Amino acid sequence: MDDHKSWQGIGVSTGKAVGRVWRLIPTLFAEAKQTKKDAVDIAREMEHLAVAAELTRRDIARSQEQLRTDKGDEYADIFAAHALILDDPSFLPEAEKVIQNGVIAVDAVSQVGEEAAALLEEIEDEYFRERAADVRAVMGQIIRHLLGAGKPFDEAFPVEGSYIVAADEMTPAETIALPKQRVLGFLVRKGGKTSHAAILARTYGIPAVLGLAISWEEMETLQYVRLDGDTGIVDVLDETQYLAGSKQQSTIEQFDEAEVSPLLQSMTLAANIGSPSELPIAKKFFAQGVGLYRTEFLFMGDSLPSEDDQTEAYRSVIATCAPHTTVIRTLDIGGDKQAPALNLPKEQNPFLGVRALRLCFARPDIFHTQLRAIWRASCAGPTAVMFPMVTTIEELCQAKAALEAARQAVIADGYSVGDIAVGMMIEVPSAALIAKHLAKEVDFFSIGTNDLTQYTLAVDRENSSLNQLNQPYHPAVLQLIVTISQAAHAAGIWTGICGEAGGDPILTPFFAALGIDELSMAPGQLPKVRKKLTSLHFDPGEKEELVSSILDCATQDEVRALLSRYGD
Ligand code: PEP
Ligand code: MG
């Protein structure tokens, strides 16, 4: 193999890592052939399957418990999905039928599991394709037990040293069970930005590259690598290069309060969270509040959360963040985020359909309940609310009216309420272009660069083959951000960035030059952005010059070249 070989994957969790490779043995036994033998002892195979299933059930419960202890109930839901797969009538009972036809248990499980996973993969939706990974995770664990190799993967991890974990596909159980303080990075052949491994890597601040187009055989030859979780580039190293590089390796930088710089003081660095259980991680990285609380994760279970459930969740986040502010985003269901309990009709273009605020207007009962819960929780500390996917002023006014109606209803019911700052997300180009009018109606803007990029560049944010195009560095996206920020300044309201670009240190100098007031990001990104801000210095007039140079750029490459002057 060429010593200088590089591969391009998808960088899904920021940071660089240099290290020895430890391979996670694939859970997928695709090569297991269906065998029909006269000599199969059907009763014995049935018994083996029952034992392996029971051991897998215990594994799932153990992982679930560990995750609950580490991070709280919401995360443990990942394993609830595994338990459901194990109990699904189309899984083990089907495998039993295959065994009855004279097939050994390993092959029966492999056949039924693969068929189910393949069906999910056929669905044109990344969410379902990633659920195929869950089916394979459960199937792999049963097979491990059937083969007598059901040793948990965390026990297989070397007892000493730090490693880059290379895998065909990472299951949530595997990601959680590994000793993350000794995991330098993740290198995974399958998956993209929204896979569980990517979300967990970002949450823990571990650099990760997924979607790497190499064969498992090639992966098996890797000894040492350098990976860049921002660019997605993976370099194969020899031992000498590794020894030289590992001296400079950095994983998570710690925050030294002594290093606080004026630029750092002028910006709030907040965390994006999806549930109260992520707050300890946000605190660990010194988040100054929550700039985006994605409440829709509460709505993704089998039933809708009650007003009391919601009040409790919001209250716990607000109280934990105080004296910092919690920005609660109202429901953003639709697009890629589905809520089975709502049983919504399938749309042809869900990202352009009845999503977010549009859905809330179609289901005022759900919206009203959520707004009531937010008001009831607002006494616990500084609270702000923001509406997603605003496209017109009329929508914004309708949402504000609903918020006021909920306030009055809650007060009439005898609850006390706090003060709530009212803001909106800007993630649709139309809203960016009329920002000066919208600014008169709100206390703040929060720019959702994920959707703003998607809608400006007409690029599906879920489609990993369009990753090169799906970048916030496109000058058109940055021009819209300048328009929004200038409108906010003129109206005297504050502006934040809460899309993934907020946690991208390449863009930090641009946001600082523009006078963006808050950057909110996945907690694992906070140290990088903080470090960038600490080292950043602008000469007089340099901020204005940088913004006008960005406005003059014609391409992403020109933008990147300009920003590279401020270091990586
Ligand atoms: C965004 O679009 O940038 C955003 C923060 O919202 P979400 O990623 O939840 O759509
Ligand atoms: Mg969005």
Side-chain angles (χ1 to χ4, degrees), residues 17 22 142 340 406 543 546:
W22 177 76
I142 298 175
K543 290 183 182 173
L546 172 60

Side-chain angles (χ1 to χ4, degrees), residues 13 18 37 81 101 103 144 154 171 192 196 234 249 266 284 292 296 299 315 351 393 399 421 468 530 533:
S13 178
V18 174
K37 297 182 197 139
N101 287 336
V103 176
R144 275 200 189 100
D154 48 333
T171 68
H196 286 312
V234 178
Q249 72 177 252
S266 68
K284 177 176 157 199
L292 167 62
E296 50 278 359
F299 290 73
R315 200 196 307 273
F351 275 116
I393 291 195
Q468 289 291 97
R530 186 176 291 114
L533 271 176

Side-chain angles (χ1 to χ4, degrees), residues 311-379:
T311 305
E312 206 31 62
Y314 306 152
R315 200 196 307 273
S316 86
V317 176
I318 295 168
T320 312
C321 280
H324 298 299
T325 301
T326 298
V327 181
I328 301 180
R329 181 189 51 202
T330 60
L331 199 56
D332 181 14
I333 290 290
D336 58 324
K337 304 188 199 101
Q338 290 308 316
L342 287 174
N343 203 12
L344 297 170
K346 201 166 160 41
E347 293 178 289
Q348 207 148 26
N349 287 303
F351 275 116
L352 303 180
V354 186
R355 179 187 170 186
L357 215 41
R358 301 168 189 181
L359 176 68
C360 287
F361 295 152
R363 293 292 305 267
D365 49 329
I366 293 172
F367 196 31
H368 186 66
T369 306
Q370 179 173 45
L371 296 175
R372 281 180 57 101
I374 295 172
W375 279 115
R376 284 176 55 192
S378 63
C379 294

Side-chain angles (χ1 to χ4, degrees), residues 292 294 296 329 332 337 355 425 427 447-452 461 498-500:
L292 167 62
R294 289 182 162 103
E296 50 278 359
R329 181 189 51 202
D332 181 14
K337 304 188 199 101
R355 179 187 170 186
M425 291 187 71
E427 42 189 354
I447 306 176
T449 49
N450 307 337
D451 278 312
L452 189 62
R461 62 187 267 189
C498 69
E500 295 297 304

